Amino acid sequence: MFIRLAEQHRQLVQDLVMNLQALAIVLENQGYLASCYTCGGQMNSASFMVSLGDNHLIRFLVSDYGITWTEMRDDRELMKLEGAEAISQLQELANLVKFQINPSDYRLATLQQA
């Protein structure tokens, strides 16, 4: 059972890395500064970053050791999520592409609540 779960986790990380690479490309094509770096050819980790302007940065890290979403503004951490919550937050970023929202018009829910 544990071997099967470990393989499923590896597959999840690989799928997530491929989707992050695609998201970075699409966001760049829509005018965002975005990047996705991987280590090695096994696609078992990635560092994804996107700038939403005005010193507003999203960093998403994925590896076999964990998954984190960090939102920063003016080099200060606004929000940090891990695991499933971090993955769910990617949908907000995907909505930029889906609804073709301009970088200057985009505000995360946390900023709207502040």
Side-chain angles (χ1 to χ4, degrees), residues 8 31 49 79 85 89 94 97 101 105 109 114:
Q8 287 176 344
M49 294 175 67
M79 177 172 64
E85 288 180 331
Q89 193 65 29
V97 175
I101 299 170
D105 296 336

Side-chain angles (χ1 to χ4, degrees), residues 3-87:
I3 292 172
R4 178 180 56 82
L5 290 173
E7 183 55 37
Q8 287 176 344
H9 179 74
R10 276 192 281 285
Q11 187 61 49
L12 168 79
V13 169
Q14 288 175 350
D15 289 349
L16 194 50
V17 169
M18 284 190 300
N19 282 293
L20 287 171
Q21 289 175 322
L23 183 59
I25 291 168
V26 173
L27 285 169
E28 271 191 336
N29 289 339
Q30 289 195 357
Y32 292 87
L33 296 175
S35 64
C36 183
Y37 298 99
T38 61
C39 299
Q42 296 178 341
M43 304 210 12
N44 58 3
S45 64
S47 172
F48 170 88
M49 294 175 67
V50 62
S51 173
L52 302 176
D54 298 328
N55 294 319
H56 191 183
L57 181 70
I58 302 296
R59 182 178 63 213
F60 188 90
L61 303 173
V62 60
S63 73
D64 283 342
Y65 303 110
I67 298 167
T68 60
W69 163 285
T70 307
E71 180 181 350
M72 295 172 288
R73 183 171 283 243
D74 298 321
D75 295 325
R76 291 182 29 218
E77 189 175 292
L78 299 175
M79 177 172 64
K80 185 170 189 172
L81 303 171
E82 296 180 345
E85 288 180 331
I87 295 170

